[in-house]
């Protein structure tokens, strides 16, 4: 079992980093997943946006995303996005 507060904190930290580049709608959309406890869906959607829009993320944000994926025990195939995200 894991502490969901840590997952929420890490996802919110990444969202805070991306507030300047994500639209308000994207932030609200992702926040609604987080608040509903849909953390896997929030992580997958967040990474999809980063990849599709080619938005770079710093190494700390990247690390947080990987930690969330590992905490949620996401399958390695699901985490394939990790090699596609653009680091700054």
């Amino acid at each position: 079992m894991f502490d969901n507060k840590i997952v929420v904190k890490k996802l919110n930290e990444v969202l805070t980093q991306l507030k300047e580049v994500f639209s308000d709608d994207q932030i609200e959309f992702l926040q609604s997943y987080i608040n509903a406890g849909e953390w896997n869906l929030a992580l997958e959607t967040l990474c999809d946006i980063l990849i599709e829009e080619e938005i770079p993320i710093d190494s700390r944000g990247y690390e947080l995303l990987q930690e969330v994926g590992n905490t949620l025990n996401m399958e390695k195939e699901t985490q394939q996005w990790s090699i596609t995200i653009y680091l700054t």
Side-chain angles (χ1 to χ4, degrees):
M1 191 71 183
F2 63 88
D3 186 352
N4 63 348
K5 291 178 185 176
I6 293 172
V7 170
V8 170
K9 180 182 178 205
K10 289 178 181 184
L11 286 170
N12 283 326
E13 188 175 335
V14 174
L15 284 184
T16 299
Q17 289 181 1
L18 296 169
K19 279 192 178 192
E20 298 297 318
V21 292
F22 274 26
S23 71
D24 289 342
D25 288 340
Q26 288 170 320
I27 295 290
E28 285 179 37
F29 189 68
L30 291 164
Q31 196 64 61
S32 70
Y33 283 152
I34 294 168
N35 293 341
E38 295 287 345
W39 308 303
N40 289 57
L41 188 54
L43 178 61
E44 289 177 26
T45 303
L46 174 57
C47 293
D48 285 345
I49 294 168
L50 290 171
I51 292 165
E52 288 172 15
E53 298 187 19
E54 297 182 359
I55 298 171
I57 190 167
D58 66 19
S59 59
R60 175 65 183 147
Y62 182 83
E63 184 178 292
L64 288 167
L65 294 176
Q66 284 192 313
E67 289 172 7
V68 169
N70 290 336
T71 301
L72 296 174
N73 294 319
M74 293 180 77
E75 297 293 323
K76 291 298 177 192
E77 299 82 41
T78 306
Q79 289 189 47
Q80 190 131 16
W81 48 261
S82 66
I83 58 171
T84 310
I85 294 176
Y86 303 92
L87 292 172
T88 56

